[in-house]
Amino acid sequence: MGSDLVLGRDGLARPAWAASDPLLREYYDHEWGMPVRDERGLFERLSLEAFQSGLSWQTILRKREGFRRAFRNFRPEVVCRFAADDVERLMNDSSIVRNKLKIGATIQNARATIELRADGGLAELIWSYQPETTPAPRTLAEIPTVSAESRALARELRSRGFRFVGPTTMYALMEAVGVVDTHLVGSWRRGSSGVWSGESASRHFPPDRD
């Protein structure tokens, strides 16, 4: 087992970042890297990745339910109608990250998501940038932070009116929603998404808690 993997009390290997904090472990075990193919789910993930920029993902996860309440469960058809009073409400909401530029970007991205419905939709666009192969990192240092596909996706989204969708943020999104599999080789989650048929998935699914 690689030095960047930690064997848990349940006998499953995880990267160090997901091995200690219960919230991160739960997210890693049950959500990160699993395919998300619906518009609302992808809009939520895209929005949270934008808010995460410059912060830790742990911070975003701890505020996730607050974000869902504040942004009406990330329904694009609702968020796209947010106005100045909603921005003021959000800037006074301590349950989320209060950043006016990111709040404005989320509202604009909801509008752009609605406009995309006439041209295949957000899910079709994001998944169209799935690469032919996925990385097979053995250490955390080997995990890419950007790719040709994430650069192209960022350019396309920007041309469609989206904001806070840089290539690094888009690569993180692609990892989170299963477009690529960057689970470390040796992790129990490697290949578990079912997207990459050449990879073997673990048959052992962990309990919800240790």
Side-chain angles (χ1 to χ4, degrees):
M1 186 171 66
S3 59
D4 286 337
L5 289 171
V6 176
L7 195 63
R9 288 184 293 168
D10 53 10
L12 300 179
R14 301 174 179 86
W17 67 264
S20 56
D21 182 273
L23 184 66
L24 290 175
R25 185 174 65 245
E26 180 79 5
Y27 176 66
Y28 181 81
D29 282 353
H30 297 280
E31 190 172 357
W32 188 68
M34 297 303 290
V36 178
R37 298 183 184 273
D38 66 291
E39 180 190 76
R40 193 217 63 80
L42 285 168
F43 175 62
E44 176 181 334
R45 296 298 192 84
L46 186 149
S47 301
L48 294 179
E49 291 290 350
F51 273 100
Q52 188 271 334
S53 180
L55 302 171
S56 72
W57 185 245
Q58 184 182 54
T59 296
I60 300 302
L61 277 184
R62 293 197 186 285
K63 290 179 174 286
R64 191 176 191 179
E65 291 307 314
F67 274 113
R68 285 175 168 168
R69 288 191 298 271
F71 284 97
R72 307 299 188 251
N73 204 30
F74 289 100
R75 288 174 288 168
E77 61 273 13
V78 176
V79 179
C80 74
R81 297 196 297 269
F82 279 13
D85 58 336
D86 293 292
V87 174
E88 183 178 359
R89 168 179 63 82
L90 293 166
M91 286 298 293
N92 286 296
D93 189 341
S94 62
S95 71
I96 68 168
V97 173
R98 291 174 285 185
N99 182 301
K100 196 168 187 177
L101 289 177
K102 293 177 181 179
I103 290 170
T106 302
I107 297 169
Q108 170 56 31
N109 290 350
R111 294 168 182 160
T113 296
I114 297 296
E115 291 179 7
L116 264 181
R117 290 177 178 177
D119 194 20
L122 182 64
E124 181 177 303
L125 190 153
I126 289 174
W127 279 90
S128 72
Y129 287 91
Q130 180 183 345
E132 293 185 4
T133 60
T134 193
R138 295 184 176 277
T139 66
L140 294 175
E142 292 178 0
I143 299 176
T145 58
V146 70
S147 68
E149 291 81 10
S150 76
R151 291 188 182 97
L153 175 58
R155 286 194 299 269
E156 178 68 17
L157 287 171
R158 284 169 175 161
S159 76
R160 302 282 189 153
F162 287 81
R163 302 175 186 168
F164 275 89
V165 289
T168 301
T169 300
M170 288 306 93
Y171 195 79
L173 175 71
M174 293 165 76
E175 292 178 287
V177 302
V179 176
V180 295
D181 183 353
T182 58
H183 289 289
L184 296 181
V185 174
S187 165
W188 84 269
R189 287 296 317 280
R190 181 73 187 172
S192 61
S193 70
V195 173
W196 301 95
S197 58
E199 297 188 345
S200 59
S202 170
R203 291 188 174 86
H204 182 184
F205 206 80
D208 287 343
R209 291 178 174 60
D210 283 345

